[in-house]
Amino acid sequence: KDLRPPVISLALLPGSGLFMAVLVQMTITGKSFIGANMEITLAANLTAKSQLEQDTAGIPQFSLKNCHITLVSVKTNLPSSMLPKVMSKFLDSTLQKVLPGLLCPAVDAMLNLVNAKFTAMTSEIPLGTAGTLQYVLLNPPTTTEAFIELDLKTILHQKEGKEVDLPMDQPSLASLPLKRDASTQLILSANFLSAELSVLQASFNLDISNNMVLGLPPLVTTMLGDLIPEISSLLPPSQPVVIEMREAKSPVVTITPAKSFVQLFSTAEFRVSPSDSAPESLFVLDV
């Protein structure tokens, strides 16, 4: 007749997994053996332990180890003269047997939903058209009283399928910033970020023309002469200009406690682009 929202408490079990306590309150209705309407309002405490492990595919996985039901309170509208024998028999033969089969499968269903999230975590992630990124579990999960630690190996593939070599540098947990309560902390190494940017390196190449700089003065040789007077006499007059940006070498990420830097190395080649002939290079800048 009535099932109240459960009260759920969770705790991490060091070296194991997850402990769950669920207070369930419900009202069961039916016919008593004398034919009268019967209501039983009960509160039960479900406790369950689950193990966090690594499956054969290298994916984190929760598995239910045990599930127990304890009756906290039972109230009924039956006359008090019937309570002793009827209630005792009902509790022993019915509730204690029925409730585990009714409630424990819900814990399994919840763990299956979490495991489905873990499975998606290891699928390949496209990095645009430049390549793919994939995570696999490097070591079995570690559970402490405060957090669950997952050490992940990152696998980067270029679009040609070649795997990018990544140093296996693992920061010490003692050197990491304090974790806030009820939060997930993701630590990425400078080497990983540099490698990921290197896979995307070709994506930084672009040709800048008038169509890409709306609202700015037209990209013509006269404008370049105004910006750099020293070359004004060498430039053909009023010719459209195209700037070819090309990555020169792999990006570098540097992380320090105070700040972080991303360095992108490229060249900017300025080409005059007359309508009646092939583009001609004017000069190249290192950027």
Side-chain angles (χ1 to χ4, degrees):
K1 177 182 178 180
D2 180 39
L3 179 62
R4 298 184 188 179
V7 180
I8 303 173
S9 301
L10 298 175
L12 296 178
L13 297 174
S16 176
L18 190 66
F19 172 80
M20 181 187 307
V22 184
L23 178 63
V24 181
Q25 301 173 81
M26 65 176 71
T27 300
I28 301 173
T29 63
K31 296 287 186 181
S32 71
F33 63 90
I34 61 174
N37 289 330
M38 178 180 65
E39 283 192 1
I40 297 177
T41 301
L42 64 89
N45 195 39
L46 178 153
T47 56
K49 292 182 180 180
S50 61
Q51 184 83 24
L52 180 58
E53 301 168 313
Q54 179 178 351
D55 69 7
T56 55
I59 302 172
Q61 188 174 59
F62 279 109
S63 57
L64 186 62
K65 291 303 179 185
N66 57 56
C67 178
H68 300 290
I69 306 292
T70 303
L71 288 171
V72 177
S73 66
V74 179
K75 296 180 181 179
T76 179
N77 66 342
L78 290 174
S80 57
S81 59
M82 296 182 178
L83 286 179
K85 286 187 177 180
V86 172
M87 285 299 295
S88 177
K89 183 177 181 180
F90 185 80
L91 292 178
D92 290 344
S93 63
T94 308
L95 285 181
Q96 294 282 13
K97 295 178 181 179
V98 170
L99 288 178
L102 181 67
L103 300 177
C104 289
V107 180
D108 254 334
M110 183 276 293
L111 294 178
N112 287 337
L113 290 173
V114 177
N115 289 336
K117 299 278 188 182
F118 282 139
T119 301
M121 181 190 77
T122 59
S123 58
E124 278 196 339
I125 304 165
L127 298 174
T129 58
T132 60
L133 168 64
Q134 187 176 14
Y135 297 105
V136 296
L137 206 57
L138 189 61
N139 301 305
T142 301
T143 306
T144 71
E145 291 182 354
F147 58 85
I148 294 173
E149 179 188 348
L150 300 179
D151 292 330
L152 302 174
K153 178 184 178 183
T154 48
I155 302 174
L156 281 169
H157 282 102
Q158 298 171 337
K159 64 180 179 181
E160 300 85 4
K162 181 182 178 182
E163 184 175 339
V164 179
D165 187 31
L166 272 173
M168 299 300 291
D169 57 338
Q170 288 186 283
S172 166
L173 281 180
S175 67
L176 299 178
L178 293 176
K179 192 180 82 65
R180 293 175 297 171
D181 290 341
S183 66
T184 298
Q185 189 177 45
L186 177 64
I187 293 93
L188 301 175
S189 72
N191 283 330
F192 163 69
L193 294 172
S194 293
E196 186 174 25
L197 287 173
S198 71
V199 171
L200 295 169
Q201 191 172 342
S203 303
F204 301 138
N205 296 336
L206 70 158
D207 296 340
I208 302 174
S209 64
N210 279 330
N211 295 331
M212 297 184 63
V213 285
L214 299 176
L216 295 178
L219 285 176
V220 294
T221 50
T222 307
M223 183 192 74
L224 294 179
D226 293 339
L227 292 174
I228 314 174
E230 292 83 357
I231 65 170
S232 58
S233 62
L234 305 175
L235 297 173
S238 302
Q239 293 290 329
V241 171
V242 173
I243 308 171
E244 295 183 0
M245 302 292 295
R246 297 292 182 266
E247 287 305 302
K249 59 180 180 178
S250 295
V252 174
V253 177
T254 306
I255 299 176
T256 69
K259 60 182 67 177
S260 301
F261 304 90
V262 177
Q263 292 175 285
L264 303 175
F265 306 94
S266 64
T267 58
E269 183 172 4
F270 289 74
R271 288 177 171 268
V272 63
S273 183
S275 58
D276 56 351
S277 60
E280 176 188 348
S281 179
L282 298 174
F283 56 91
V284 178
L285 297 179
D286 290 327
V287 182

